[in-house]
Amino acid sequence: GESVGLHLPTLSVQEGDNSIINCAYSNSASDYFIWYKQESGKGPQFIIDIRSNMDKRQGQRVTVLLNKTVKHLSLQIAATQPGDSAVYFCAEKGEYGNKLVFGAGTILRVKS
Amino acid sequence: DAGVTQSPTHLIKTRGQQVTLRCSPKSGHDTVSWYQQALGQGPQFIFQYYEEEERQRGNFPDRFSGHQFPNYSSELNVNALLLGDSALYLCASSIGTSGEQFFGPGTRLTVL
């Protein structure tokens, strides 16, 4: 089916800790995955992406891991900061042309 | 360099009315995609415009229509509004139909 879902709707972490946000996707034909951050009152903001020919990709304080065997995607945020508090979405693209298929989102709350 | 802009910010309509939402893409971008984001959910793809033509469409009824102008800006029109059309409408622009999509802040539509 056409769905990308998240395991945890809300994640609370202490400032300075690492955060891990998970995502399960259903379409094995998808070849491109993106993580977006959405703050209140704003549109989704690109964080990091990964193609299906990769297992891991690192950015500044963020790492995306892709496990194609179990169709699982994760976003790791190192040293989580209060400014990281937002809703995080994974999205996929591939079989459905150029449209992005989004999951429902995970709320990340950072406690100071 | 202005990013993606959308107008209006907020809009209140009643059932049965028609609405037009507007989007100006990021400078240098020629493709516009529209998404509907219901409260607590991820964005859902409506359609994509490139070279003033609808290139791809999601699972939305014909009440949803769009247009792209020669300057690449775009409009989303919704006729015969239903209560269920209440949502945040997001516009995303890209370079080409498969380029990275940059999102605007959205238009919050409330149908009473």
Side-chain angles (χ1 to χ4, degrees), chain A residues 2 32 36 38 41-44 46 89 93 96-100 102-105, chain B residues 35 37 40-45 48 56 58 88 90 97-101 103-105:
Chain A
E2 191 177 297
Y32 180 55
Y36 284 93
Q38 187 173 25
K42 297 183 179 180
F46 174 94
F89 294 97
K93 191 161 74 168
Y96 312 117
N98 297 311
K99 71 176 184 181
L100 295 170
F102 284 82
Chain B
Y35 292 81
Q37 185 177 21
Q41 297 183 21
Q44 299 290 311
F45 176 79
Q48 182 182 72
Q56 189 173 0
L88 179 68
L90 295 162
T97 57
S98 60
E100 179 186 335
Q101 296 183 22
F103 285 83

PDB file of all heavy atoms in Angstrom, chain A residues 2 32 36 38 41-44 46 89 93 96-100 102-105, chain B residues 35 37 40-45 48 56 58 88 90 97-101 103-105:
ATOM      1  N   GLU A   2       0.188   2.359  -0.043  1.00  0.00           N
ATOM      2  CA  GLU A   2       0.896   3.635  -0.114  1.00  0.00           C
ATOM      3  C   GLU A   2       0.925   4.251   1.272  1.00  0.00           C
ATOM      4  O   GLU A   2       0.097   5.082   1.620  1.00  0.00           O
ATOM      5  CB  GLU A   2       0.146   4.537  -1.086  1.00  0.00           C
ATOM      6  CG  GLU A   2       0.890   5.782  -1.465  1.00  0.00           C
ATOM      7  CD  GLU A   2       0.113   6.583  -2.485  1.00  0.00           C
ATOM      8  OE1 GLU A   2      -0.104   6.078  -3.587  1.00  0.00           O
ATOM      9  OE2 GLU A   2      -0.286   7.703  -2.158  1.00  0.00           O
ATOM     10  N   TYR A  32      13.969   6.601  -2.478  1.00  0.00           N
ATOM     11  CA  TYR A  32      14.480   7.870  -1.944  1.00  0.00           C
ATOM     12  C   TYR A  32      13.664   8.209  -0.715  1.00  0.00           C
ATOM     13  O   TYR A  32      12.427   8.181  -0.755  1.00  0.00           O
ATOM     14  CB  TYR A  32      14.344   8.948  -3.010  1.00  0.00           C
ATOM     15  CG  TYR A  32      14.831  10.317  -2.625  1.00  0.00           C
ATOM     16  CD1 TYR A  32      16.125  10.522  -2.161  1.00  0.00           C
ATOM     17  CD2 TYR A  32      13.997  11.418  -2.744  1.00  0.00           C
ATOM     18  CE1 TYR A  32      16.578  11.778  -1.826  1.00  0.00           C
ATOM     19  CE2 TYR A  32      14.436  12.684  -2.412  1.00  0.00           C
ATOM     20  CZ  TYR A  32      15.729  12.868  -1.951  1.00  0.00           C
ATOM     21  OH  TYR A  32      16.172  14.122  -1.612  1.00  0.00           O
ATOM     22  N   TYR A  36      11.875  15.296   7.407  1.00  0.00           N
ATOM     23  CA  TYR A  36      11.522  16.696   7.512  1.00  0.00           C
ATOM     24  C   TYR A  36      11.237  17.050   8.971  1.00  0.00           C
ATOM     25  O   TYR A  36      10.756  16.226   9.738  1.00  0.00           O
ATOM     26  CB  TYR A  36      10.253  17.002   6.708  1.00  0.00           C
ATOM     27  CG  TYR A  36      10.444  17.070   5.218  1.00  0.00           C
ATOM     28  CD1 TYR A  36      10.246  15.948   4.424  1.00  0.00           C
ATOM     29  CD2 TYR A  36      10.800  18.265   4.600  1.00  0.00           C
ATOM     30  CE1 TYR A  36      10.403  16.012   3.048  1.00  0.00           C
ATOM     31  CE2 TYR A  36      10.958  18.338   3.225  1.00  0.00           C
ATOM     32  CZ  TYR A  36      10.764  17.209   2.460  1.00  0.00           C
ATOM     33  OH  TYR A  36      10.922  17.276   1.097  1.00  0.00           O
ATOM     34  N   GLN A  38       9.061  19.904  11.197  1.00  0.00           N
ATOM     35  CA  GLN A  38       8.026  20.920  11.078  1.00  0.00           C
ATOM     36  C   GLN A  38       7.779  21.570  12.433  1.00  0.00           C
ATOM     37  O   GLN A  38       7.300  20.913  13.359  1.00  0.00           O
ATOM     38  CB  GLN A  38       6.729  20.337  10.519  1.00  0.00           C
ATOM     39  CG  GLN A  38       5.679  21.399  10.213  1.00  0.00           C
ATOM     40  CD  GLN A  38       4.456  20.842   9.504  1.00  0.00           C
ATOM     41  OE1 GLN A  38       4.145  19.674   9.610  1.00  0.00           O
ATOM     42  NE2 GLN A  38       3.757  21.688   8.755  1.00  0.00           N
ATOM     43  N   GLY A  41       3.404  26.337  13.064  1.00  0.00           N
ATOM     44  CA  GLY A  41       3.149  27.478  12.204  1.00  0.00           C
ATOM     45  C   GLY A  41       4.039  27.580  10.986  1.00  0.00           C
ATOM     46  O   GLY A  41       3.998  28.577  10.262  1.00  0.00           O
ATOM     47  N   LYS A  42       4.836  26.539  10.742  1.00  0.00           N
ATOM     48  CA  LYS A  42       5.741  26.568   9.598  1.00  0.00           C
ATOM     49  C   LYS A  42       5.540  25.344   8.719  1.00  0.00           C
ATOM     50  O   LYS A  42       4.942  24.350   9.132  1.00  0.00           O
ATOM     51  CB  LYS A  42       7.189  26.624  10.070  1.00  0.00           C
ATOM     52  CG  LYS A  42       7.548  27.877  10.861  1.00  0.00           C
ATOM     53  CD  LYS A  42       9.022  27.879  11.231  1.00  0.00           C
ATOM     54  CE  LYS A  42       9.386  29.136  12.008  1.00  0.00           C
ATOM     55  NZ  LYS A  42      10.829  29.155  12.388  1.00  0.00           N
ATOM     56  N   GLY A  43       6.057  25.419   7.516  1.00  0.00           N
ATOM     57  CA  GLY A  43       6.025  24.270   6.634  1.00  0.00           C
ATOM     58  C   GLY A  43       7.158  23.312   6.955  1.00  0.00           C
ATOM     59  O   GLY A  43       8.093  23.661   7.674  1.00  0.00           O
ATOM     60  N   PRO A  44       7.101  22.090   6.444  1.00  0.00           N
ATOM     61  CA  PRO A  44       8.175  21.119   6.670  1.00  0.00           C
ATOM     62  C   PRO A  44       9.514  21.632   6.149  1.00  0.00           C
ATOM     63  O   PRO A  44       9.580  22.235   5.080  1.00  0.00           O
ATOM     64  CB  PRO A  44       7.714  19.892   5.882  1.00  0.00           C
ATOM     65  CG  PRO A  44       6.229  20.046   5.776  1.00  0.00           C
ATOM     66  CD  PRO A  44       5.994  21.519   5.663  1.00  0.00           C
ATOM     67  N   PHE A  46      13.455  20.500   5.219  1.00  0.00           N
ATOM     68  CA  PHE A  46      14.335  19.384   4.897  1.00  0.00           C
ATOM     69  C   PHE A  46      15.445  19.240   5.935  1.00  0.00           C
ATOM     70  O   PHE A  46      16.076  20.219   6.323  1.00  0.00           O
ATOM     71  CB  PHE A  46      14.946  19.626   3.516  1.00  0.00           C
ATOM     72  CG  PHE A  46      15.986  18.627   3.097  1.00  0.00           C
ATOM     73  CD1 PHE A  46      15.626  17.537   2.336  1.00  0.00           C
ATOM     74  CD2 PHE A  46      17.321  18.795   3.436  1.00  0.00           C
ATOM     75  CE1 PHE A  46      16.582  16.622   1.922  1.00  0.00           C
ATOM     76  CE2 PHE A  46      18.276  17.891   3.042  1.00  0.00           C
ATOM     77  CZ  PHE A  46      17.916  16.797   2.275  1.00  0.00           C
ATOM     78  N   PHE A  89       8.783  14.188  10.321  1.00  0.00           N
ATOM     79  CA  PHE A  89       8.138  13.318   9.351  1.00  0.00           C
ATOM     80  C   PHE A  89       9.181  12.613   8.514  1.00  0.00           C
ATOM     81  O   PHE A  89      10.165  13.226   8.098  1.00  0.00           O
ATOM     82  CB  PHE A  89       7.265  14.124   8.388  1.00  0.00           C
ATOM     83  CG  PHE A  89       6.084  14.795   9.016  1.00  0.00           C
ATOM     84  CD1 PHE A  89       6.147  16.123   9.388  1.00  0.00           C
ATOM     85  CD2 PHE A  89       4.900  14.107   9.207  1.00  0.00           C
ATOM     86  CE1 PHE A  89       5.064  16.753   9.962  1.00  0.00           C
ATOM     87  CE2 PHE A  89       3.800  14.724   9.774  1.00  0.00           C
ATOM     88  CZ  PHE A  89       3.884  16.053  10.154  1.00  0.00           C
ATOM     89  N   LYS A  93       9.778   8.589  -1.736  1.00  0.00           N
ATOM     90  CA  LYS A  93       9.494   8.892  -3.127  1.00  0.00           C
ATOM     91  C   LYS A  93      10.039   7.741  -3.958  1.00  0.00           C
ATOM     92  O   LYS A  93      11.035   7.132  -3.602  1.00  0.00           O
ATOM     93  CB  LYS A  93      10.148  10.207  -3.531  1.00  0.00           C
ATOM     94  CG  LYS A  93       9.714  10.749  -4.862  1.00  0.00           C
ATOM     95  CD  LYS A  93      10.023  12.242  -5.025  1.00  0.00           C
ATOM     96  CE  LYS A  93      11.474  12.508  -5.251  1.00  0.00           C
ATOM     97  NZ  LYS A  93      11.709  13.904  -5.682  1.00  0.00           N
ATOM     98  N   TYR A  96       5.795   6.179  -6.864  1.00  0.00           N
ATOM     99  CA  TYR A  96       4.651   7.038  -7.108  1.00  0.00           C
ATOM    100  C   TYR A  96       5.023   8.288  -7.894  1.00  0.00           C
ATOM    101  O   TYR A  96       4.348   9.290  -7.824  1.00  0.00           O
ATOM    102  CB  TYR A  96       4.004   7.421  -5.782  1.00  0.00           C
ATOM    103  CG  TYR A  96       3.773   6.239  -4.875  1.00  0.00           C
ATOM    104  CD1 TYR A  96       4.404   6.155  -3.647  1.00  0.00           C
ATOM    105  CD2 TYR A  96       2.954   5.201  -5.268  1.00  0.00           C
ATOM    106  CE1 TYR A  96       4.213   5.065  -2.819  1.00  0.00           C
ATOM    107  CE2 TYR A  96       2.756   4.101  -4.452  1.00  0.00           C
ATOM    108  CZ  TYR A  96       3.390   4.039  -3.220  1.00  0.00           C
ATOM    109  OH  TYR A  96       3.206   2.963  -2.412  1.00  0.00           O
ATOM    110  N   GLY A  97       6.118   8.255  -8.602  1.00  0.00           N
ATOM    111  CA  GLY A  97       6.539   9.416  -9.371  1.00  0.00           C
ATOM    112  C   GLY A  97       7.225  10.431  -8.492  1.00  0.00           C
ATOM    113  O   GLY A  97       8.016  10.074  -7.628  1.00  0.00           O
ATOM    114  N   ASN A  98       6.901  11.691  -8.684  1.00  0.00           N
ATOM    115  CA  ASN A  98       7.619  12.746  -7.982  1.00  0.00           C
ATOM    116  C   ASN A  98       6.943  13.214  -6.708  1.00  0.00           C
ATOM    117  O   ASN A  98       7.443  14.102  -6.033  1.00  0.00           O
ATOM    118  CB  ASN A  98       7.808  13.935  -8.922  1.00  0.00           C
ATOM    119  CG  ASN A  98       8.667  13.556 -10.099  1.00  0.00           C
ATOM    120  OD1 ASN A  98       9.725  12.970  -9.939  1.00  0.00           O
ATOM    121  ND2 ASN A  98       8.207  13.874 -11.294  1.00  0.00           N
ATOM    122  N   LYS A  99       5.809  12.626  -6.362  1.00  0.00           N
ATOM    123  CA  LYS A  99       5.146  13.071  -5.146  1.00  0.00           C
ATOM    124  C   LYS A  99       5.825  12.449  -3.934  1.00  0.00           C
ATOM    125  O   LYS A  99       6.392  11.354  -3.993  1.00  0.00           O
ATOM    126  CB  LYS A  99       3.669  12.695  -5.168  1.00  0.00           C
ATOM    127  CG  LYS A  99       3.389  11.205  -5.001  1.00  0.00           C
ATOM    128  CD  LYS A  99       1.894  10.967  -4.946  1.00  0.00           C
ATOM    129  CE  LYS A  99       1.573   9.511  -4.686  1.00  0.00           C
ATOM    130  NZ  LYS A  99       0.103   9.277  -4.658  1.00  0.00           N
ATOM    131  N   LEU A 100       5.775  13.172  -2.837  1.00  0.00           N
ATOM    132  CA  LEU A 100       6.280  12.675  -1.565  1.00  0.00           C
ATOM    133  C   LEU A 100       5.129  12.028  -0.805  1.00  0.00           C
ATOM    134  O   LEU A 100       4.036  12.577  -0.730  1.00  0.00           O
ATOM    135  CB  LEU A 100       6.858  13.823  -0.737  1.00  0.00           C
ATOM    136  CG  LEU A 100       8.090  14.514  -1.325  1.00  0.00           C
ATOM    137  CD1 LEU A 100       8.404  15.781  -0.538  1.00  0.00           C
ATOM    138  CD2 LEU A 100       9.275  13.572  -1.318  1.00  0.00           C
ATOM    139  N   PHE A 102       4.138  10.979   2.865  1.00  0.00           N
ATOM    140  CA  PHE A 102       4.541  11.267   4.237  1.00  0.00           C
ATOM    141  C   PHE A 102       3.903  10.304   5.222  1.00  0.00           C
ATOM    142  O   PHE A 102       2.784   9.822   5.019  1.00  0.00           O
ATOM    143  CB  PHE A 102       4.088  12.676   4.632  1.00  0.00           C
ATOM    144  CG  PHE A 102       4.909  13.783   4.066  1.00  0.00           C
ATOM    145  CD1 PHE A 102       4.694  14.235   2.775  1.00  0.00           C
ATOM    146  CD2 PHE A 102       5.896  14.386   4.825  1.00  0.00           C
ATOM    147  CE1 PHE A 102       5.443  15.278   2.255  1.00  0.00           C
ATOM    148  CE2 PHE A 102       6.652  15.439   4.310  1.00  0.00           C
ATOM    149  CZ  PHE A 102       6.422  15.875   3.022  1.00  0.00           C
ATOM    150  N   GLY A 103       4.608  10.081   6.320  1.00  0.00           N
ATOM    151  CA  GLY A 103       4.035   9.394   7.453  1.00  0.00           C
ATOM    152  C   GLY A 103       3.272  10.373   8.327  1.00  0.00           C
ATOM    153  O   GLY A 103       3.181  11.566   8.018  1.00  0.00           O
ATOM    154  N   ALA A 104       2.758   9.875   9.453  1.00  0.00           N
ATOM    155  CA  ALA A 104       1.906  10.696  10.324  1.00  0.00           C
ATOM    156  C   ALA A 104       2.708  11.662  11.188  1.00  0.00           C
ATOM    157  O   ALA A 104       2.190  12.664  11.631  1.00  0.00           O
ATOM    158  CB  ALA A 104       1.044   9.806  11.198  1.00  0.00           C
ATOM    159  N   GLY A 105       3.953  11.380  11.471  1.00  0.00           N
ATOM    160  CA  GLY A 105       4.780  12.301  12.254  1.00  0.00           C
ATOM    161  C   GLY A 105       5.027  11.839  13.671  1.00  0.00           C
ATOM    162  O   GLY A 105       4.235  11.111  14.268  1.00  0.00           O
TER     163      GLY A 105
ATOM    164  N   TYR B  35       0.110  20.255  -1.248  1.00  0.00           N
ATOM    165  CA  TYR B  35      -0.181  19.201  -0.279  1.00  0.00           C
ATOM    166  C   TYR B  35      -1.254  19.692   0.692  1.00  0.00           C
ATOM    167  O   TYR B  35      -1.322  20.885   1.008  1.00  0.00           O
ATOM    168  CB  TYR B  35       1.067  18.831   0.532  1.00  0.00           C
ATOM    169  CG  TYR B  35       2.158  18.158  -0.259  1.00  0.00           C
ATOM    170  CD1 TYR B  35       3.043  18.908  -1.042  1.00  0.00           C
ATOM    171  CD2 TYR B  35       2.310  16.773  -0.236  1.00  0.00           C
ATOM    172  CE1 TYR B  35       4.039  18.293  -1.778  1.00  0.00           C
ATOM    173  CE2 TYR B  35       3.316  16.148  -0.957  1.00  0.00           C
ATOM    174  CZ  TYR B  35       4.175  16.917  -1.722  1.00  0.00           C
ATOM    175  OH  TYR B  35       5.166  16.292  -2.446  1.00  0.00           O
ATOM    176  N   GLN B  37      -2.552  19.105   4.589  1.00  0.00           N
ATOM    177  CA  GLN B  37      -2.145  18.524   5.861  1.00  0.00           C
ATOM    178  C   GLN B  37      -3.261  18.713   6.887  1.00  0.00           C
ATOM    179  O   GLN B  37      -3.470  19.813   7.405  1.00  0.00           O
ATOM    180  CB  GLN B  37      -0.851  19.153   6.362  1.00  0.00           C
ATOM    181  CG  GLN B  37      -0.310  18.489   7.627  1.00  0.00           C
ATOM    182  CD  GLN B  37       1.022  19.060   8.080  1.00  0.00           C
ATOM    183  OE1 GLN B  37       1.396  20.183   7.733  1.00  0.00           O
ATOM    184  NE2 GLN B  37       1.766  18.274   8.849  1.00  0.00           N
ATOM    185  N   GLY B  40      -2.725  16.926  12.874  1.00  0.00           N
ATOM    186  CA  GLY B  40      -2.175  15.709  13.454  1.00  0.00           C
ATOM    187  C   GLY B  40      -1.747  14.656  12.450  1.00  0.00           C
ATOM    188  O   GLY B  40      -1.450  13.528  12.828  1.00  0.00           O
ATOM    189  N   GLN B  41      -1.725  15.030  11.184  1.00  0.00           N
ATOM    190  CA  GLN B  41      -1.334  14.072  10.143  1.00  0.00           C
ATOM    191  C   GLN B  41      -0.203  14.622   9.276  1.00  0.00           C
ATOM    192  O   GLN B  41       0.118  15.809   9.331  1.00  0.00           O
ATOM    193  CB  GLN B  41      -2.543  13.743   9.256  1.00  0.00           C
ATOM    194  CG  GLN B  41      -3.674  13.064   9.999  1.00  0.00           C
ATOM    195  CD  GLN B  41      -4.818  12.693   9.073  1.00  0.00           C
ATOM    196  OE1 GLN B  41      -4.638  12.585   7.856  1.00  0.00           O
ATOM    197  NE2 GLN B  41      -5.993  12.490   9.634  1.00  0.00           N
ATOM    198  N   GLY B  42       0.371  13.742   8.489  1.00  0.00           N
ATOM    199  CA  GLY B  42       1.373  14.169   7.536  1.00  0.00           C
ATOM    200  C   GLY B  42       0.731  14.762   6.295  1.00  0.00           C
ATOM    201  O   GLY B  42      -0.437  14.523   6.011  1.00  0.00           O
ATOM    202  N   PRO B  43       1.468  15.552   5.545  1.00  0.00           N
ATOM    203  CA  PRO B  43       0.934  16.133   4.309  1.00  0.00           C
ATOM    204  C   PRO B  43       0.547  15.053   3.298  1.00  0.00           C
ATOM    205  O   PRO B  43       1.214  14.031   3.189  1.00  0.00           O
ATOM    206  CB  PRO B  43       2.104  16.977   3.790  1.00  0.00           C
ATOM    207  CG  PRO B  43       2.941  17.267   4.998  1.00  0.00           C
ATOM    208  CD  PRO B  43       2.829  16.048   5.848  1.00  0.00           C
ATOM    209  N   GLN B  44      -0.533  15.324   2.558  1.00  0.00           N
ATOM    210  CA  GLN B  44      -0.988  14.434   1.502  1.00  0.00           C
ATOM    211  C   GLN B  44      -0.885  15.174   0.168  1.00  0.00           C
ATOM    212  O   GLN B  44      -1.381  16.290   0.037  1.00  0.00           O
ATOM    213  CB  GLN B  44      -2.450  14.018   1.744  1.00  0.00           C
ATOM    214  CG  GLN B  44      -2.664  13.255   3.047  1.00  0.00           C
ATOM    215  CD  GLN B  44      -2.052  11.874   3.020  1.00  0.00           C
ATOM    216  OE1 GLN B  44      -2.249  11.112   2.087  1.00  0.00           O
ATOM    217  NE2 GLN B  44      -1.295  11.526   4.058  1.00  0.00           N
ATOM    218  N   PHE B  45      -0.277  14.514  -0.814  1.00  0.00           N
ATOM    219  CA  PHE B  45      -0.044  15.127  -2.122  1.00  0.00           C
ATOM    220  C   PHE B  45      -1.350  15.361  -2.866  1.00  0.00           C
ATOM    221  O   PHE B  45      -2.179  14.440  -2.995  1.00  0.00           O
ATOM    222  CB  PHE B  45       0.866  14.205  -2.927  1.00  0.00           C
ATOM    223  CG  PHE B  45       1.142  14.647  -4.335  1.00  0.00           C
ATOM    224  CD1 PHE B  45       2.081  15.628  -4.592  1.00  0.00           C
ATOM    225  CD2 PHE B  45       0.473  14.069  -5.399  1.00  0.00           C
ATOM    226  CE1 PHE B  45       2.353  16.020  -5.891  1.00  0.00           C
ATOM    227  CE2 PHE B  45       0.746  14.448  -6.698  1.00  0.00           C
ATOM    228  CZ  PHE B  45       1.683  15.431  -6.945  1.00  0.00           C
ATOM    229  N   GLN B  48       0.892  18.308  -8.829  1.00  0.00           N
ATOM    230  CA  GLN B  48       2.141  19.000  -9.149  1.00  0.00           C
ATOM    231  C   GLN B  48       2.000  19.683 -10.508  1.00  0.00           C
ATOM    232  O   GLN B  48       1.447  19.103 -11.457  1.00  0.00           O
ATOM    233  CB  GLN B  48       3.310  18.020  -9.193  1.00  0.00           C
ATOM    234  CG  GLN B  48       4.663  18.667  -9.485  1.00  0.00           C
ATOM    235  CD  GLN B  48       5.778  17.647  -9.570  1.00  0.00           C
ATOM    236  OE1 GLN B  48       5.879  16.873 -10.519  1.00  0.00           O
ATOM    237  NE2 GLN B  48       6.648  17.630  -8.557  1.00  0.00           N
ATOM    238  N   GLN B  56       1.176  15.464 -12.224  1.00  0.00           N
ATOM    239  CA  GLN B  56       0.846  14.298 -11.426  1.00  0.00           C
ATOM    240  C   GLN B  56      -0.225  14.709 -10.428  1.00  0.00           C
ATOM    241  O   GLN B  56      -0.262  15.868  -9.984  1.00  0.00           O
ATOM    242  CB  GLN B  56       2.078  13.767 -10.686  1.00  0.00           C
ATOM    243  CG  GLN B  56       1.864  12.427 -10.006  1.00  0.00           C
ATOM    244  CD  GLN B  56       3.135  11.850  -9.425  1.00  0.00           C
ATOM    245  OE1 GLN B  56       4.214  12.447  -9.521  1.00  0.00           O
ATOM    246  NE2 GLN B  56       3.032  10.697  -8.811  1.00  0.00           N
ATOM    247  N   GLY B  58      -2.705  13.386  -6.965  1.00  0.00           N
ATOM    248  CA  GLY B  58      -2.973  12.441  -5.889  1.00  0.00           C
ATOM    249  C   GLY B  58      -4.446  12.072  -5.867  1.00  0.00           C
ATOM    250  O   GLY B  58      -5.203  12.387  -6.794  1.00  0.00           O
ATOM    251  N   LEU B  88      -4.313  22.510   6.688  1.00  0.00           N
ATOM    252  CA  LEU B  88      -3.221  23.394   6.293  1.00  0.00           C
ATOM    253  C   LEU B  88      -2.832  22.999   4.870  1.00  0.00           C
ATOM    254  O   LEU B  88      -2.538  21.832   4.603  1.00  0.00           O
ATOM    255  CB  LEU B  88      -2.030  23.217   7.237  1.00  0.00           C
ATOM    256  CG  LEU B  88      -0.781  24.064   6.950  1.00  0.00           C
ATOM    257  CD1 LEU B  88      -1.066  25.546   7.216  1.00  0.00           C
ATOM    258  CD2 LEU B  88       0.393  23.591   7.807  1.00  0.00           C
ATOM    259  N   LEU B  90      -0.233  23.253   1.941  1.00  0.00           N
ATOM    260  CA  LEU B  90       1.182  23.543   1.765  1.00  0.00           C
ATOM    261  C   LEU B  90       1.545  23.559   0.289  1.00  0.00           C
ATOM    262  O   LEU B  90       1.095  22.718  -0.484  1.00  0.00           O
ATOM    263  CB  LEU B  90       2.035  22.490   2.471  1.00  0.00           C
ATOM    264  CG  LEU B  90       1.927  22.446   3.994  1.00  0.00           C
ATOM    265  CD1 LEU B  90       2.442  21.122   4.523  1.00  0.00           C
ATOM    266  CD2 LEU B  90       2.703  23.597   4.611  1.00  0.00           C
ATOM    267  N   THR B  97      10.649  18.526 -11.915  1.00  0.00           N
ATOM    268  CA  THR B  97       9.619  17.739 -11.214  1.00  0.00           C
ATOM    269  C   THR B  97      10.203  16.783 -10.187  1.00  0.00           C
ATOM    270  O   THR B  97       9.496  16.340  -9.287  1.00  0.00           O
ATOM    271  CB  THR B  97       8.788  16.943 -12.229  1.00  0.00           C
ATOM    272  OG1 THR B  97       9.675  16.112 -12.994  1.00  0.00           O
ATOM    273  CG2 THR B  97       8.028  17.870 -13.172  1.00  0.00           C
ATOM    274  N   SER B  98      11.477  16.462 -10.280  1.00  0.00           N
ATOM    275  CA  SER B  98      12.061  15.507  -9.340  1.00  0.00           C
ATOM    276  C   SER B  98      13.044  16.152  -8.369  1.00  0.00           C
ATOM    277  O   SER B  98      13.680  15.454  -7.584  1.00  0.00           O
ATOM    278  CB  SER B  98      12.779  14.390 -10.110  1.00  0.00           C
ATOM    279  OG  SER B  98      13.808  14.930 -10.911  1.00  0.00           O
ATOM    280  N   GLY B  99      13.146  17.464  -8.404  1.00  0.00           N
ATOM    281  CA  GLY B  99      14.076  18.162  -7.529  1.00  0.00           C
ATOM    282  C   GLY B  99      13.622  18.202  -6.084  1.00  0.00           C
ATOM    283  O   GLY B  99      12.456  17.910  -5.770  1.00  0.00           O
ATOM    284  N   GLU B 100      14.552  18.574  -5.194  1.00  0.00           N
ATOM    285  CA  GLU B 100      14.233  18.703  -3.769  1.00  0.00           C
ATOM    286  C   GLU B 100      13.140  19.748  -3.601  1.00  0.00           C
ATOM    287  O   GLU B 100      13.198  20.830  -4.178  1.00  0.00           O
ATOM    288  CB  GLU B 100      15.467  19.126  -2.987  1.00  0.00           C
ATOM    289  CG  GLU B 100      15.218  19.319  -1.488  1.00  0.00           C
ATOM    290  CD  GLU B 100      16.423  19.882  -0.765  1.00  0.00           C
ATOM    291  OE1 GLU B 100      17.560  19.699  -1.248  1.00  0.00           O
ATOM    292  OE2 GLU B 100      16.231  20.521   0.287  1.00  0.00           O
ATOM    293  N   GLN B 101      12.138  19.404  -2.790  1.00  0.00           N
ATOM    294  CA  GLN B 101      10.997  20.283  -2.604  1.00  0.00           C
ATOM    295  C   GLN B 101      11.180  21.153  -1.360  1.00  0.00           C
ATOM    296  O   GLN B 101      11.435  20.647  -0.271  1.00  0.00           O
ATOM    297  CB  GLN B 101       9.715  19.457  -2.508  1.00  0.00           C
ATOM    298  CG  GLN B 101       9.412  18.695  -3.798  1.00  0.00           C
ATOM    299  CD  GLN B 101       8.108  17.937  -3.756  1.00  0.00           C
ATOM    300  OE1 GLN B 101       7.206  18.245  -2.978  1.00  0.00           O
ATOM    301  NE2 GLN B 101       7.983  16.951  -4.613  1.00  0.00           N
ATOM    302  N   PHE B 103       9.278  23.802   1.113  1.00  0.00           N
ATOM    303  CA  PHE B 103       7.903  24.098   1.487  1.00  0.00           C
ATOM    304  C   PHE B 103       7.714  25.537   1.952  1.00  0.00           C
ATOM    305  O   PHE B 103       8.603  26.128   2.585  1.00  0.00           O
ATOM    306  CB  PHE B 103       7.446  23.161   2.602  1.00  0.00           C
ATOM    307  CG  PHE B 103       7.139  21.769   2.139  1.00  0.00           C
ATOM    308  CD1 PHE B 103       8.148  20.842   1.985  1.00  0.00           C
ATOM    309  CD2 PHE B 103       5.837  21.402   1.837  1.00  0.00           C
ATOM    310  CE1 PHE B 103       7.867  19.557   1.542  1.00  0.00           C
ATOM    311  CE2 PHE B 103       5.543  20.118   1.394  1.00  0.00           C
ATOM    312  CZ  PHE B 103       6.564  19.191   1.245  1.00  0.00           C
ATOM    313  N   GLY B 104       6.530  26.064   1.664  1.00  0.00           N
ATOM    314  CA  GLY B 104       6.125  27.342   2.207  1.00  0.00           C
ATOM    315  C   GLY B 104       5.490  27.149   3.572  1.00  0.00           C
ATOM    316  O   GLY B 104       5.347  26.025   4.045  1.00  0.00           O
ATOM    317  N   PRO B 105       5.078  28.238   4.233  1.00  0.00           N
ATOM    318  CA  PRO B 105       4.506  28.155   5.576  1.00  0.00           C
ATOM    319  C   PRO B 105       3.082  27.626   5.598  1.00  0.00           C
ATOM    320  O   PRO B 105       2.585  27.239   6.653  1.00  0.00           O
ATOM    321  CB  PRO B 105       4.555  29.595   6.070  1.00  0.00           C
ATOM    322  CG  PRO B 105       4.481  30.408   4.813  1.00  0.00           C
ATOM    323  CD  PRO B 105       5.220  29.617   3.769  1.00  0.00           C
TER     324      PRO B 105
END
